[in-house]
Amino acid sequence: MNYIGSKNKLSKFIKAEIKKIVGETKDKVFCDLFAGTGAIGRTFKLDTKKIIANDVEYYSFVLNRNYIGNHHKIDWHEYLDELNHLEGINGFIFKHYCAGSGCERQYFSDNNGRKIDAVRQKIESWKSTEYITDDIYYFLLASLLEHADAVANTASVYGAFLKTIKKSAQKELWIKPALFETNHAEHEIYNKDANELIKEVEGDILYLDPPYNARQYGSNYHLLNTIALYDNFQPAGKTGLREYKRSLWCQKGNVQQTFNELIKNAKFKYIFLSYNNEGLMPPETIKTIMSEYGRYDVIETTYQRFKADTNENRNHKASETVEYLHFLEKSCFG
Ligand SMILES: C[S@@+](CC[C@H](N)C(=O)[O-])C[C@H]1O[C@@H](n2cnc3c(N)ncnc32)[C@H](O)[C@@H]1O
């Protein structure tokens, strides 16, 4: 999934740097507190005793519940085969997010909107009749989210839709398995505010990748929450927004105190924070806050944020960002 702030491309670098400092991680509990797509937890899943993954957004919980939480093999072929061959239904997604219903929004082609409705309803009916386990439920939901996102008619996020259906959105929705690594460890997955959860969990390595600017994930990915929750509400305005959570990490006036509180309450020896040079908190502020609680260091790398455009007529530049990995070995607890 193309996700704002995804660490997919940086995951090898982050893992290598964490291992350089922490050493062997096989016997350690690793917490990914702002897990998003789960890219970092997934990188450590087979290399730690346990992963604790959390995100305040429900679609992210679904992804992590599958990619991290699921650890026994699932025989998915029959389920996906049935879902992929369902007839479309004029349900909530078609009614509010597809132009064919007359709603004046166009986040999906009519056929794909109808198919998302049919698949989503079938998954829910399987769950309510106990035809599927929780593990399979989240596996199927994650598979749907990934592939609905791939045929969304947006430039990238769900803050707006395109006026005409773009090429990738014209393709028929075809759900492939959201495959995960299997192992014997039991992992913990949460859907909570980070500053609340930090008071309830403990472990060895805490990885923090909070939002770094004012863009709220709940509004940018509202349609993923709507598909995942599939609840009934009145979509608002031109974009069909649902009510969403406003993270304190996206607010300049609140982020510093929120960060300080989190570090203070963390019961983890090794704490890592990913943040870039365009973030709401300057590096010096982060250094000052973290240094109060123990030994601080920082590692930096440059990172190409957008791929250079291969079409020479469109002169899109790849922008280079400095990505920091701040580190604290916490000695001062409480
Ligand atoms: C930069 S993204 C994380 C990306 C992730 N590391 C990845 O590779 O996909 C930040 C995440 O923080 C989550 N978030 C924002 N505010 C939060 C809060 N108060 N508590 C927990 N998660 C929050 C967002 O939903 C988003 O998924």
Side-chain angles (χ1 to χ4, degrees):
M1 181 178 295
N2 196 358
Y3 195 60
I4 302 174
S6 163
K7 294 299 173 292
N8 201 18
K9 289 186 186 147
L10 282 168
S11 61
K12 275 198 183 136
F13 159 78
I14 291 169
K15 185 174 182 182
E17 293 303 327
I18 291 180
K19 276 183 163 265
K20 265 190 221 164
I21 291 170
V22 171
E24 183 52 72
T25 54
K26 283 242 187 267
D27 57 340
K28 303 219 167 21
V29 174
F30 183 101
C31 177
D32 188 4
L33 201 62
F34 301 84
T37 59
I40 296 299
R42 280 151 85 171
T43 312
F44 278 94
K45 184 174 177 182
L46 300 184
D47 262 336
T48 48
K49 188 161 79 178
K50 175 164 77 180
I51 301 284
I52 301 171
N54 172 64
D55 199 284
V56 77
E57 298 300 335
Y58 184 67
Y59 62 81
S60 168
F61 168 78
V62 170
L63 296 176
N64 283 283
R65 174 62 183 76
N66 174 56
Y67 291 124
I68 307 292
N70 275 339
H71 59 111
H72 296 302
K73 201 168 172 282
I74 288 176
D75 198 357
W76 45 266
H77 294 86
E78 255 177 56
Y79 302 112
L80 286 190
D81 193 46
E82 184 168 344
L83 293 177
N84 277 322
H85 290 96
L86 288 173
E87 276 290 307
I89 290 174
N90 291 355
F92 193 86
I93 299 297
F94 173 73
K95 186 172 166 202
H96 294 291
Y97 299 99
C98 297
S101 68
C103 70
E104 297 185 352
R105 301 182 191 111
Q106 192 167 224
Y107 280 100
F108 296 103
S109 71
D110 292 349
N111 279 344
N112 283 338
R114 287 193 185 101
K115 196 157 170 196
I116 291 170
D117 280 316
V119 169
R120 185 63 190 86
Q121 290 182 23
K122 179 60 85 181
I123 295 173
E124 205 57 36
S125 83
W126 281 346
K127 186 186 181 222
S128 63
T129 55
E130 294 181 12
Y131 176 65
I132 53 174
T133 60
D134 276 3
D135 283 0
I136 298 176
Y137 177 72
Y138 289 110
F139 165 81
L140 294 175
L141 274 191
S143 305
L144 171 62
L145 286 179
E146 294 277 13
H147 295 282
D149 184 65
V151 294
N153 190 38
T154 61
S156 59
V157 295
Y158 295 86
F161 52 84
L162 301 173
K163 286 204 182 84
T164 49
I165 302 270
K166 69 175 180 179
K167 223 169 169 189
S168 57
Q170 286 170 20
K171 287 192 189 152
E172 192 191 336
L173 169 68
W174 191 261
I175 305 165
K176 294 185 193 141
L179 299 173
F180 54 86
E181 302 279 5
T182 55
N183 67 354
H184 294 297
E186 293 283 340
H187 306 285
E188 290 175 28
I189 318 299
Y190 296 95
N191 183 205
K192 291 191 172 186
D193 182 273
N195 282 58
E196 289 307 314
L197 183 64
I198 200 66
K199 296 174 195 157
E200 298 163 23
V201 292
E202 57 186 293
D204 304 292
I205 307 166
L206 176 63
Y207 174 70
L208 305 171
D209 187 21
Y212 60 87
N213 64 21
R215 299 177 79 181
Q216 293 281 0
Y217 283 79
S219 63
N220 279 300
Y221 294 97
H222 65 98
L223 213 40
L224 295 185
N225 272 338
T226 295
I227 294 171
L229 291 160
Y230 211 65
D231 50 356
N232 203 6
F233 67 98
Q234 192 49 53
K238 207 172 163 187
T239 61
L241 205 58
R242 58 184 299 126
E243 279 186 12
Y244 65 93
K245 298 185 185 106
R246 284 158 217 267
S247 176
L248 296 175
W249 296 83
C250 302
Q251 301 171 20
K252 201 168 173 44
N254 285 315
V255 61
Q256 245 173 265
Q257 197 195 336
T258 308
F259 178 53
N260 191 20
E261 281 289 308
L262 188 124
I263 298 295
K264 188 176 82 189
N265 290 327
K267 295 181 280 295
F268 289 80
K269 181 172 178 194
Y270 302 103
I271 304 179
F272 295 86
L273 169 76
S274 280
Y275 216 69
N276 73 23
N277 61 333
E278 294 160 10
L280 293 173
M281 288 191 289
E284 306 76 56
T285 305
I286 294 171
K287 179 180 176 182
T288 308
I289 292 174
M290 289 181 105
S291 300
E292 262 182 57
Y293 299 93
R295 182 171 75 84
Y296 167 85
D297 207 347
V298 64
I299 301 133
E300 53 178 87
T301 182
T302 49
Y303 170 56
Q304 297 282 92
R305 266 225 288 175
F306 297 102
K307 274 189 194 146
D309 198 323
T310 44
N311 177 351
E312 286 174 6
N313 297 324
R314 290 163 62 204
N315 196 19
H316 288 183
K317 286 191 189 112
S319 79
E320 206 161 74
T321 315
V322 182
E323 187 73 35
Y324 296 102
L325 188 63
H326 299 269
F327 160 64
L328 165 67
E329 186 172 346
K330 197 171 176 187
S331 53
C332 175
F333 288 80

